[in-house]
Amino acid sequence: MASSVFCTRYGVELNLTLPDLGQPGFPDLRSEIYGDNADQDREFLQCVQSARGVPCKSEAKGKSPYMYIQRRSGSLVAVHRNPGRHEVTPAESDEHKALKERISKAAEAAGFAADVESRSRDGKRRTDVIVNGVDGIRIGWEPQMSKLGRQAVERRTKLAKRDGLTSMWLTKSDKADLINRAPWSRIKQTPWREIAAGDPLEIVGGVNRLEIWRCDSRSVVPCPVAKRGRCGKHHGEWRAAKNLYLNKLVELTAAGEYRSLHLTRVAGSRGERYLWAPRREADRFDEITADQTGDTERAIPERAEAEVRERPLDRICRYGEETGFRSAPTQIRDAGEAVAIPHVRADLDLRIAREQVVLDWSDQTHWSNEPRHCRACGGLTNLLDDDRRPMHKVCAEERLRPA
């Protein structure tokens, strides 16, 4: 990591500690090397020592002399590229290809057209798979198995929205930066050969179901607002969906039966959430929180700039040296916790209470020793409905709720 770097395109040395980079003749260069519109040429920036004809420490270890820009502790720094970390590995590439094929085949099997590797006319947007659904719905699926930063996710999501797409970022990592940066879903860690073979891929994150309950003596948890006792009102939670699989999610989102929600106010958290939910439940959520949701689009405040200490241009390679910078451990971004809805509009309490449907499937006629796919959600179940067809009890109850 260094405070100086060489720009190969213009043949100039840049001092990253200066506002103008030490090159007043290039007023736009700062935005070219860092930010949403940064140049993606992997050889755009080079270690200053290497550019001056002296092999740098990174080259001596068989790695790259080229660099990219990061922000650390408020300062811009140049970091050597590490192919082992930043290049897509063959395994990641195989997974990516298998998932694209899996999504497009699932769409076509459900009767929806799919476009693979779709590009916008201006060349700024490339989407892995676009599923063309009903009533103009277009879901832009983006399987992302390798590391991708927040800014890239937000930039590509904005371009997709410009072109009338609803993004669906797909990951298998609970630490991926894309989680809650845009509409997303997560599958279990699965080898690419199982993905290609068509094995069921369970959705374990990013898709939720709405639960509403009365906070009274029958509630097994204390009031989520008062943190003790029971208040007698209604509360709700978005809980992770169960028994849902990738192929079915492709179908449900294209059919408009599931839609994306952007929660900008999350109880007990300073963050925000993106989640997919059954359209009926998402619409109900909009109604029961109509007096408190506010705008769904809000500007994210810019991070305050730290004071940067100016330094002279440094032409020595600092690869591998102790710098004093320590990146924080990667945090889990999807822990599977429920998202609380602490206040439900009082005037809807009784109506919500009447909407709850509970079936009694305790007798043996509703059980099969052989698990089969639920005809509602596609997940495996041993339960049978009144017609002896496979269905989860919660799916049957959901179908009976009034719209």
Side-chain angles (χ1 to χ4, degrees):
M1 185 167 53
S3 61
S4 302
V5 69
F6 181 78
C7 179
T8 59
R9 178 170 302 165
Y10 304 118
V12 294
E13 296 174 341
L14 310 181
N15 186 338
L16 301 177
T17 68
L18 300 177
D20 62 358
L21 306 177
Q23 297 294 338
F26 297 89
D28 298 326
L29 191 51
R30 191 179 185 89
S31 62
E32 287 188 61
I33 67 170
Y34 181 76
D36 287 349
N37 298 314
D39 195 295
Q40 299 301 310
D41 183 355
R42 298 180 66 82
E43 298 184 1
F44 187 42
L45 301 174
Q46 184 179 359
C47 176
V48 175
Q49 179 174 313
S50 173
R52 294 174 67 84
V54 181
C56 70
K57 295 178 182 178
S58 178
E59 288 177 289
K61 293 187 176 182
K63 298 186 177 181
S64 175
Y66 297 102
M67 309 182 81
Y68 66 102
I69 303 299
Q70 288 185 350
R71 182 180 294 278
R72 297 192 184 181
S73 301
S75 303
L76 294 185
V77 293
V79 182
H80 281 85
R81 293 188 178 276
N82 183 343
R85 180 176 178 182
H86 298 284
E87 297 285 357
V88 176
T89 66
E92 287 170 342
S93 179
D94 289 334
E95 283 179 330
H96 190 246
K97 293 175 183 176
L99 281 170
K100 286 195 298 183
E101 183 176 2
R102 182 70 171 269
I103 292 166
S104 61
K105 286 185 175 179
E108 291 166 357
F112 300 108
D115 301 324
V116 180
E117 293 292 339
S118 170
R119 294 181 181 271
S120 61
R121 291 183 177 180
D122 60 10
K124 292 183 178 181
R125 176 190 57 77
R126 181 193 61 77
T127 304
D128 288 329
V129 182
I130 294 178
V131 177
N132 298 287
V134 301
D135 300 326
I137 292 175
R138 303 175 70 216
I139 309 296
W141 284 84
E142 297 279 13
Q144 193 63 43
M145 299 299 104
S146 57
K147 184 177 176 62
L148 187 68
R150 171 183 61 84
Q151 291 182 329
V153 172
E154 292 175 348
R155 179 177 67 251
R156 288 169 58 176
T157 300
K158 185 182 296 184
L159 288 171
K161 185 176 181 180
R162 178 202 68 176
D163 292 346
L165 303 177
T166 298
S167 293
M168 171 66 96
W169 292 89
L170 180 64
T171 182
K172 64 177 187 178
S173 170
D174 58 7
K175 299 179 180 180
D177 280 339
L178 62 87
I179 292 174
N180 288 321
R181 309 290 191 193
W184 64 283
S185 58
R186 181 167 70 89
I187 58 173
K188 284 185 175 180
Q189 295 279 353
T190 307
W192 73 268
R193 286 184 174 83
E194 294 181 16
I195 296 174
D199 289 8
L201 299 177
E202 186 175 3
I203 300 295
V204 294
V207 184
N208 295 68
R209 299 299 301 269
L210 180 62
E211 298 286 345
I212 299 174
W213 71 94
R214 185 186 291 278
C215 186
D216 57 17
S217 59
R218 293 172 295 178
S219 176
V220 298
V221 295
C223 174
V225 178
K227 306 301 182 184
R228 60 185 177 83
R230 309 294 188 271
C231 70
K233 297 182 179 181
H234 280 82
H235 305 298
E237 282 185 338
W238 285 110
R239 296 176 181 171
K242 304 295 184 182
N243 300 307
L244 180 63
Y245 294 81
L246 178 62
N247 286 31
K248 192 65 178 181
L249 185 59
V250 172
E251 176 186 344
L252 291 172
T253 52
E257 295 184 32
Y258 275 52
R259 72 175 178 90
S260 177
L261 281 173
H262 182 195
L263 311 183
T264 59
R265 298 181 183 181
V266 179
S269 171
R270 297 179 60 188
E272 53 189 309
R273 297 288 190 277
Y274 281 90
L275 58 87
W276 289 86
R279 177 169 292 276
R280 182 185 299 174
E281 295 180 9
D283 292 345
R284 181 182 293 136
F285 170 78
D286 288 342
E287 184 179 4
I288 66 179
T289 59
D291 58 349
Q292 58 182 289
T293 53
D295 295 334
T296 56
E297 297 287 344
R298 68 176 174 85
I300 299 175
E302 294 185 4
R303 185 180 303 171
E305 295 287 341
E307 183 178 353
V308 179
R309 181 166 57 89
E310 294 185 3
R311 301 175 183 174
L313 192 70
D314 185 5
R315 295 188 172 94
I316 304 299
C317 179
R318 303 295 176 184
Y319 180 82
E321 293 184 10
E322 177 59 51
T323 63
F325 289 104
R326 280 288 184 270
S327 297
T330 303
Q331 300 294 315
I332 292 176
R333 294 185 55 81
D334 175 28
E337 72 276 10
V339 180
I341 310 168
H343 301 291
V344 174
R345 280 174 50 191
D347 61 311
L348 296 176
D349 277 0
L350 292 178
R351 199 204 70 179
I352 293 168
R354 287 196 300 269
E355 287 183 1
Q356 303 304 313
V357 177
V358 179
L359 296 172
D360 181 6
W361 283 7
S362 57
D363 62 89
Q364 289 299 313
T365 62
H366 289 286
W367 180 262
S368 169
N369 291 325
E370 179 185 356
R372 294 158 62 192
H373 290 285
C374 170
R375 63 191 184 94
C377 72
L380 291 176
T381 181
N382 292 88
L383 294 174
L384 303 173
D385 64 14
D386 292 333
D387 297 321
R388 300 286 295 172
R389 293 180 293 182
M391 181 176 284
H392 293 103
K393 180 170 172 286
V394 293
C395 292
E397 292 169 344
E398 171 60 28
R399 288 193 171 191
L400 294 175
R401 290 183 187 179

